[in-house]
Amino acid sequence: GAGDTIFALSSAPGRCGVAVIRASGPGSRGALQSLTGTPKLPPPRVLALRRIRDPDTAETLDRGLVVWFPGPQSFTGEDCAELHVHGGPAVVSGVLQALGRLPGLRPADPGEFTRRAFRRGKLDLTAAEGLGDLIRAETEAQRRQALRQMEGELGRLYQRWSETLTQALAHLEAYIDFSEDDNVEEEVLSQGEGGLGGGGDRDAPSLLCPTLATPLVPAVDGTARALEQEIGAHLQDGRRGELLRGGVHAVIAGPPNVGKSSLLNLLCQRPAAIVSPVAGTTRDVVEVALNIGGYPLVLSDTAGLRDTTDPVEREGVARARDRLCQADLVLAVLDATAVPPEPAGLGAALGTLLPPPSTPCVLVLNKADLLRGGGGPLRDTCAQGPPLPPTALLSCKTGEGLDLLLELLVRELAQLCGDPLGGSPSLTQSRHSRHLAGCAAALARFRRERRRDLALAAEQLRLARRELGRITGHVGAEDVLDIIFRDFCVGK
C-alpha cells in the first residue's frame, strides 16, 4: 500500500564500482539506523561513511556512504534513505536481503518510486514520462528533449491551458447561474476576442456576482477559439517530439544489387547485413538503431524492389514495400553507373522506386568508384538540388562520399525532429496527441452548442478540461497511471 516502506536497487544491476540502494516511506529512517547500528543519523542530505551491518547477525556487509532525505524534501516527498555500497553482486544481495527482513519493508514494484513522487505532487505525468525518457535516452537530442520535459516545461504549458479553461468555465457557469437576472445581456459571452483569457470591451455590459461583488466579464467565446487554435498548432508539429523520442524510421530502398546492404553495413560500421554479388540476397527486413549527429535513426535494409517468381523473395519485396509506406525517411539507392546523368532521367529512375510523395527522401548513388572519368556530368546533376531530393554520390567500397551523406542525413533528421531546446516544447507521446485532439474537438463542439444550449456547451468545456487533465494527471489520472509507470525499471 501507499503507507508501506519500499526499497530497491536504483542503479543498474551487475558488477560495478558503486551501487545505490534506495528506500522510501515512513520506515526508511529506522531501516537506515538498523543497518548502520547508530541511533544518530547524519544531517539531512549529507553523505556520511558508515559500516553497514546485517541487523540480525551484526555481520559487516560493507563500508559505504549513506544519506538521509527527510520528507517532503526528497524525490518521492516521503522520508527517503540511500546506501551507496560497493557494486559486487554479493554485497548488493546481502544489503537487499537485510532490508527485506526488517518489519514493514518490502521490495518496490517497477516505477513505484516515481508513482509516489507523482502522488505527492513532486512531478506531474508529463514530467514522469520525461524522467523515463531521460533514463532511456541514447542520443544527445533525446537527452535534451527528455530533460526539458522532466523539468516540467511541457506540463506547465498544458497546465496553463487547463487554467484558462477553468476560468472560462467559471465565467460561463456564473452567467448560467445569474442570467435569470434581467440585467445580464447575452453579448457578454462573445467578449474578449483578443486571445487567451482576453479582457473584453470595458464599456460592454458586465455581470455582477452577488456573492463576490466583483464584475465578471466572461470572454468565453474568444478564449475557446484562441485555445483551439493554439492546440491545433501544437498538434501540427509533424510528430517531431515523438520521432525524436522513438527514433526516425528510415528505409533503404532500391533495385536489387545496388549496394543497399553495403550501405547499411557502412553506416553502422559492422557487418549487420549479408552482402553478396547475387541479386536478391536480402529477403527479410534487417533493422539497426543508429546515432547520427545526435539524432536517433532506426535504419531498415529491405529486399530489392523487382518482379520475381521466387515466393520467398516475393514476400521480401512485399515487406519492403510495406516498410516503405510506413517510413519517416527514405534512403533511395541507385547504381551510379546505370542511371542517366541528366536531371530528368535521374528523376525518372528515382520514380521507379515509388516512395510515398510526402515522405522525405535522400538519394544515394552508389558505386561512384566505378564511374568513368569521375562521373562529371552526374556530379553536376547531383549538385543542382530541386526538384531532385538531396543526393550523395557514394562508394560503399572506398567510403568516398560518406561525409556528404551523413551531412545530408543530419540535415533531414534535424528537419524531422526539430531543435529539442528551441521554441515551444513538443509533445512526445501518442497519448498526448490523443487527449489534445479530444480537447480541441470538445472546444469545437462548445462553439456549436453555445448558440443552442449553454448547459450543454458548459459540459463541452468540462470535457475539454478533463482531456488536458489526463495528460498531466491532475484530472482523471487513474486510467493512465499503469501505462505511464509500467515501463519504469524497479528502483526508479
Side-chain angles (χ1 to χ4, degrees):
D4 296 343
T5 298
I6 56 173
F7 67 91
L9 175 67
S10 288
S11 53
R15 188 174 286 105
C16 56
V18 176
V20 178
I21 296 170
R22 174 190 283 172
S24 179
S28 57
R29 178 189 182 105
L32 191 56
Q33 289 172 325
S34 296
L35 264 66
T36 56
T38 56
K40 187 177 181 181
L41 291 177
R45 294 171 294 280
V46 174
L47 283 167
L49 181 64
R50 293 286 188 270
R51 190 176 296 276
I52 298 167
R53 296 183 174 89
D54 187 317
D56 290 342
T57 64
E59 178 189 359
T60 298
L61 300 173
D62 194 16
R63 289 187 74 218
L65 296 171
V66 300
V67 62
W68 158 242
F69 300 97
Q73 280 77 42
S74 70
F75 171 68
T76 62
E78 304 175 318
D79 287 352
C80 286
E82 287 183 5
L83 299 98
H84 298 216
V85 299
H86 293 95
V91 173
V92 172
S93 175
V95 175
L96 290 175
Q97 288 181 35
L99 285 169
R101 288 194 294 269
L102 294 174
L105 268 71
R106 64 169 175 83
D109 294 328
E112 191 168 5
F113 284 90
T114 310
R115 183 189 286 262
R116 290 191 175 198
F118 165 75
R119 294 281 189 201
R120 289 184 170 262
K122 304 297 285 189
L123 70 176
D124 68 15
L125 288 186
T126 61
E129 289 168 328
L131 173 58
D133 290 347
L134 186 64
I135 293 168
R136 289 185 288 268
E138 295 182 350
T139 74
E140 193 72 10
Q142 285 177 321
R143 177 188 63 77
R144 288 171 178 160
Q145 175 171 273
L147 191 60
R148 188 178 183 186
Q149 182 171 330
M150 189 194 76
E151 290 178 340
E153 196 166 344
L154 193 63
R156 285 192 292 274
L157 174 66
Y158 297 153
Q159 186 61 24
R160 175 171 65 82
W161 290 346
S162 183
E163 289 167 359
T164 298
L165 271 177
T166 301
Q167 185 179 27
L169 184 60
H171 286 166
L172 181 58
E173 289 180 338
Y175 176 83
I176 293 171
D177 288 343
F178 300 110
S179 62
E180 293 177 0
D181 299 340
D182 293 335
N183 63 338
V184 179
E185 296 191 20
E186 205 267 6
E187 284 77 6
V188 296
L189 283 174
S190 60
Q191 295 169 11
E193 302 286 333
L196 296 187
D201 183 352
R202 292 185 180 180
D203 297 326
S206 64
L207 171 67
L208 189 66
C209 174
T211 56
L212 298 178
T214 306
L216 297 176
V217 185
V220 182
D221 268 358
T223 296
R225 187 177 297 110
L227 184 56
E228 187 181 351
Q229 290 172 351
E230 193 171 343
I231 290 174
H234 187 62
L235 284 167
Q236 297 298 319
D237 72 341
R239 294 177 53 242
R240 287 197 300 267
E242 291 182 60
L243 288 175
L244 181 53
R245 178 178 180 266
V248 174
H249 287 258
V251 171
I252 302 175
N257 213 25
V258 294
K260 297 184 298 299
S261 298
S262 297
L263 175 59
L264 179 80
N265 293 344
L266 179 66
L267 287 172
C268 68
Q269 298 295 306
R270 62 184 176 87
I274 297 173
V275 175
S276 166
V278 178
T281 305
T282 303
R283 303 294 183 91
D284 206 346
V285 176
V286 180
E287 190 174 89
V288 294
L290 301 174
N291 179 347
I292 303 291
Y295 293 98
L297 184 70
V298 181
L299 190 59
S300 300
D301 177 28
T302 59
L305 301 175
R306 67 170 177 177
D307 294 328
T308 176
T309 57
D310 185 306
V312 178
E313 189 180 355
R314 189 184 301 150
E315 174 62 24
V317 172
R319 293 186 184 188
R321 294 200 182 278
D322 286 344
R323 192 61 72 95
L324 194 60
C325 292
Q326 299 165 11
D328 303 312
L329 176 66
V330 174
L331 271 68
V333 184
L334 295 173
D335 185 338
T337 66
V339 294
E342 74 280 357
L346 188 54
L350 175 62
T352 62
L353 300 181
L354 299 176
S358 60
T359 306
C361 179
V362 173
L363 177 57
V364 181
L365 300 178
N366 188 30
K367 306 185 182 180
D369 56 297
L370 301 180
L371 287 172
R372 294 179 180 176
L378 187 57
R379 291 182 187 275
D380 293 340
T381 297
C382 293
Q384 286 186 13
L388 288 175
T391 305
L393 263 176
L394 176 71
S395 169
C396 288
K397 185 175 181 180
T398 67
E400 174 199 352
L402 178 60
D403 288 344
L404 173 60
L405 174 58
L406 290 173
E407 182 183 320
L408 296 178
L409 280 177
V410 170
R411 197 180 305 163
E412 292 296 322
L413 291 171
Q415 185 72 26
L416 284 165
C417 297
D419 179 0
L421 297 181
S424 178
S426 296
L427 52 92
T428 59
Q429 307 266 350
S430 60
R431 76 174 193 90
H432 299 174
S433 303
R434 188 170 64 252
H435 292 310
L436 287 170
C439 179
L443 289 171
R445 290 194 299 271
F446 160 78
R447 290 192 290 107
R448 291 196 300 269
E449 293 287 353
R450 196 262 253 197
R451 301 190 180 280
R452 292 186 298 222
D453 189 318
L454 284 182
L456 291 177
E459 181 59 26
Q460 296 307 320
L461 286 188
R462 290 189 197 96
L463 290 173
R465 185 164 155 265
R466 195 171 304 140
E467 292 289 356
L468 283 178
R470 284 180 175 141
I471 302 178
T472 60
H474 290 140
V475 178
E478 290 299 328
D479 55 344
V480 295
L481 287 184
D482 288 340
I483 297 172
I484 302 304
F485 295 113
R486 71 186 178 194
D487 292 332
F488 277 85
C489 48
V490 174
K492 297 292 184 289

